Amino acid sequence: MWLLEDSATEAQATQAALAATCDVTVFSDGAMLVESLGFKPLPDVLVLDRETPGLTGLEVCGFVRSTPATARLPVLLLTSHQRPEDVVEGLGAGANEYVFKPFRPQELVARVLGLAHWSWQQRQRDAQVTVELGSTRQQLSDEQARRTLAESTLAEVRAAELRAWNSEQRFRLAARATQDAIWEWNPQTDTLEWSSGGQDLLGPLDSPHVPRQDWWRGHIHPDDLDAVQRGFLEALGGGGDVWRSSYRFRDVHGAWRDVEEHALIVRDGDARVVQVVGALRDVTARKQWETQTRQRADFERQLIGIVSHDLRTPLASVLLSVSLLERTSLDEAQEKRVRRIRASAERAARMIRDLLNFTEVRHGRLALHLQDTDFHVLVDAAIEEAAPPGRAILRSRSGDGVGRWDMDRLSQVAGNLLANALAYGDPAAPIQVRTHGEQGDVVLEVHNGGAPIPPDLLPRLFEPLERGAPHQGNRSERSIGLGLFIVRQVVHAHGGTVSVTSLPEAGTTFTVRLPKQPPAAPPVPPPG
């Protein structure tokens, strides 16, 4: 209990009256008592003298009631003022009890103890309310958590049901959209359940559930049945997750069709088969097309090979005869005719060579015979062989040109690029041929002036049977459109690259870049 009393005598008398039942702390100044409320434990009861110097007991009582932390603290006013209006004022300020001076000690003790007991009851009720409120909040929180968990679980179940429904819908739509016949094998019953797909193969089914072995015996060709069954059982027992098979299948009309089957095997944690889902596809048309394509390719290869081989013998005789004629005395008109015969025969020989190379590339047999050589010297020889009289060819070379290549193939590359420049370039502008050796590569550039290559032709310029725009020469000088295709194939076989730039103001430049040491394994040929 705290006592506010400025009179030392009255404070001592009050303290003596209450000492037997209370611990009394005396304050002689109201301001000091108010300050102590902020940092000391609150007392059970405040006993305040109504009139004190400075901050009066009545003012202290008003402050206590206006502060949330002390608003319920019991207050007893001690005063010598006994007028009714004074009592009303004290009670209006918030006092719980009013004792007049001089007081009887027993009355004061009784009133103070009554206030202390009331204060204790209030704290007990507050504590109980706090516990009950906490318990209620916990129950509400637990209930909310259970409700949230239930709602979350319900949402997951609904989402799973929706995913399952969507998955089933996708499966049904996919089965309807595809020509494949979709099936599922049940390991417990050894039965197949067929979907609605593959109507041309299966036709209408009395029941989608059929015994597997009986079904296979009735639909798989007898010569293929053992292999199909053996492969299926090996796939199930092998621990894999895929089974594939190709065989002849009896369709709904009794005709044999070529089919392919692809199945996915689902296993549990112990590697036991729990589900197999597969698709049966009719590939009869594709097989027929592949057979026809293969036969056509074989015929093409044989025809080109026979024609090219058989043409070289008469061409060799023609060139030999031309060589003999050139050694005899001929007049100017006869020499002109002999030169024309040689040019035509050499052009035919180049066309035959291109056809043979084209056949080799198409069937993956472009073999390289590598040897150490000087790329500069190789290009010089190609220029000397291909350069026609009256056409200017500017030659430049730099760097180390020694590497390991197929000399004949690269001579053909340089010759084809030079022939292309001579055929399509401006006859009045010189052809520029440059070779440059770098650290690990050599570079060949062949440049000609004249009209640029049409932009729509550039992307397919290296495809077979493609030609540039018409040029100034006559039809006898035109190629069959395989020269640049063969250039790309030979360069790629050496692990190199070939590119072209063509602009009206800059002319056309073909650039070949080759490694000095080709790769150990031949690269995959480019398309075409």
Side-chain angles (χ1 to χ4, degrees):
M1 188 204 79
W2 288 2
L3 171 64
L4 174 62
E5 180 59 71
D6 63 316
S7 170
T9 302
E10 292 186 5
Q12 185 176 3
T14 304
Q15 189 174 12
L18 297 171
T21 55
C22 302
D23 293 328
V24 181
T25 301
V26 179
F27 294 87
S28 59
D29 181 76
M32 185 178 299
L33 186 147
V34 169
E35 183 179 355
S36 297
L37 290 173
F39 61 88
K40 288 185 178 182
L42 296 179
D44 293 327
V45 180
L46 283 179
V47 178
L48 307 177
D49 184 8
R50 178 186 173 107
E51 302 295 336
T52 55
L55 196 63
T56 66
L58 196 62
E59 292 172 335
V60 171
C61 181
F63 173 80
V64 167
R65 290 291 176 259
S66 64
T67 304
T70 59
R72 301 180 65 183
L73 186 61
V75 176
L76 184 148
L77 284 179
L78 285 174
T79 181
S80 57
H81 299 291
Q82 298 184 9
R83 296 179 306 166
E85 56 268 24
D86 294 331
V87 175
V88 171
E89 183 181 10
L91 295 175
N96 300 91
E97 287 285 359
Y98 213 103
V99 174
F100 300 109
K101 296 180 181 179
F103 55 80
R104 289 174 292 184
Q106 295 84 354
E107 180 184 357
L108 178 62
V109 170
R111 291 183 181 274
V112 168
L113 290 179
L115 289 177
H117 181 69
W118 175 82
S119 177
W120 178 82
Q121 288 181 327
Q122 289 293 109
R123 290 196 299 272
Q124 289 295 105
R125 283 196 296 271
D126 290 346
Q128 184 177 359
V129 170
T130 300
V131 171
E132 292 176 353
L133 181 60
S135 176
T136 302
R137 287 176 176 173
Q138 185 62 45
Q139 292 176 358
L140 291 175
S141 177
D142 293 344
E143 181 63 25
Q144 182 64 33
R146 287 192 294 270
R147 179 176 296 180
T148 301
L149 179 60
E151 291 175 350
S152 175
T153 303
L154 180 60
E156 291 178 359
V157 170
R158 289 176 176 172
E161 291 176 346
L162 180 61
R163 287 194 298 270
W165 184 85
N166 289 335
S167 177
E168 183 177 358
Q169 283 293 102
R170 284 194 296 269
F171 174 80
R172 294 183 182 276
L173 291 175
R176 292 175 59 187
T178 182
Q179 296 299 317
D180 297 352
I182 311 299
W183 55 266
E184 181 178 357
W185 177 64
N186 187 325
Q188 283 73 37
T189 61
D190 195 19
T191 57
L192 301 174
E193 180 181 356
W194 291 92
S195 72
S196 59
Q199 291 298 309
D200 291 342
L201 284 174
L202 308 180
L205 299 176
D206 296 334
S207 171
H209 298 273
V210 294
R212 177 184 61 85
Q213 296 191 28
D214 292 344
W215 173 271
W216 280 6
R217 279 193 292 268
H219 291 81
I220 297 178
H221 195 283
D223 294 343
D224 301 335
L225 180 59
D226 288 343
V228 174
Q229 289 184 332
R230 184 171 58 253
F232 183 70
L233 296 178
E234 288 176 353
L236 297 181
D241 58 359
V242 174
W243 172 63
R244 292 184 177 89
S245 184
S246 301
Y247 54 88
R248 287 163 289 180
F249 181 88
R250 188 194 304 273
D251 67 11
V252 63
H253 306 293
W256 292 109
R257 299 199 192 189
D258 291 313
V259 298
E260 290 181 352
E261 202 153 23
H262 182 186
L264 296 179
I265 304 171
V266 181
R267 303 177 186 272
D268 60 15
D270 297 326
R272 290 190 297 266
V273 178
V274 296
Q275 185 182 26
V276 180
V277 178
L280 184 70
R281 172 170 296 184
D282 181 6
V283 295
T284 305
R286 192 192 76 191
K287 291 280 188 180
Q288 293 174 350
W289 178 83
E290 290 175 350
T291 300
Q292 294 172 358
T293 300
R294 183 170 57 253
Q295 293 173 348
R296 186 167 55 250
D298 291 342
F299 174 76
E300 174 188 293
R301 182 176 67 255
Q302 294 173 5
L303 178 62
I304 292 178
I306 292 172
V307 171
S308 301
H309 181 271
D310 291 349
L311 282 177
R312 283 191 294 181
T313 299
L315 280 176
S317 298
V318 171
L319 289 172
L320 178 60
S321 300
V322 168
S323 298
L324 294 174
L325 285 172
E326 290 175 338
R327 296 175 186 174
T328 63
S329 297
L330 301 173
D331 58 29
E332 182 178 351
Q334 291 172 333
E335 289 180 354
K336 183 176 180 180
R337 293 189 184 98
V338 169
R339 287 196 300 270
R340 184 175 299 169
I341 293 172
R342 173 178 288 280
S344 297
E346 289 177 346
R347 176 173 174 271
R350 289 194 299 271
M351 293 173 65
I352 292 172
R353 182 193 61 188
D354 287 349
L355 285 171
L356 289 174
N357 288 333
F358 177 69
T359 303
E360 291 180 353
V361 170
R362 287 286 296 271
H363 299 282
R365 298 196 306 269
L366 185 62
L368 298 180
H369 303 284
L370 304 178
Q371 55 183 310
D372 294 333
T373 187
D374 190 323
F375 191 69
H376 299 312
V377 175
L378 182 151
V379 174
D380 289 340
I383 294 174
E384 183 178 354
E385 180 181 347
R391 289 295 298 270
I393 298 179
L394 304 180
R395 175 77 171 97
S396 62
R397 50 193 287 177
S398 61
D400 179 19
V402 176
R404 187 168 179 81
W405 303 289
D406 186 321
M407 292 181 58
D408 293 337
R409 298 290 189 188
L410 291 189
S411 296
Q412 188 177 359
V413 167
N416 285 358
L417 292 179
L418 187 58
N420 186 80
L422 291 169
Y424 293 94
D426 184 359
I431 305 298
Q432 301 179 33
V433 181
R434 174 178 178 268
T435 53
H436 172 64
E438 299 178 351
Q439 180 68 28
D441 300 330
V442 292
V443 178
L444 166 65
E445 294 179 350
V446 179
H447 173 271
N448 64 267
I453 301 172
D456 61 328
L457 179 59
L458 279 174
R460 62 179 193 276
L461 190 62
F462 293 96
E463 300 299 323
L465 306 179
E466 289 288 349
R467 297 189 183 95
H471 51 82
Q472 302 297 325
N474 56 44
R475 290 184 59 86
S476 65
E477 296 175 343
R478 296 183 63 183
S479 68
I480 57 176
L482 294 176
L484 294 179
F485 170 76
I486 293 171
V487 165
R488 182 178 66 168
Q489 301 298 324
V490 172
V491 169
H492 192 271
H494 282 83
T497 60
V498 58
S499 60
V500 59
T501 58
S502 188
L503 299 171
E505 62 277 5
T508 300
T509 300
F510 285 85
T511 302
V512 173
R513 179 176 291 272
L514 295 166
K516 292 183 177 180
Q517 294 294 329
V524 177

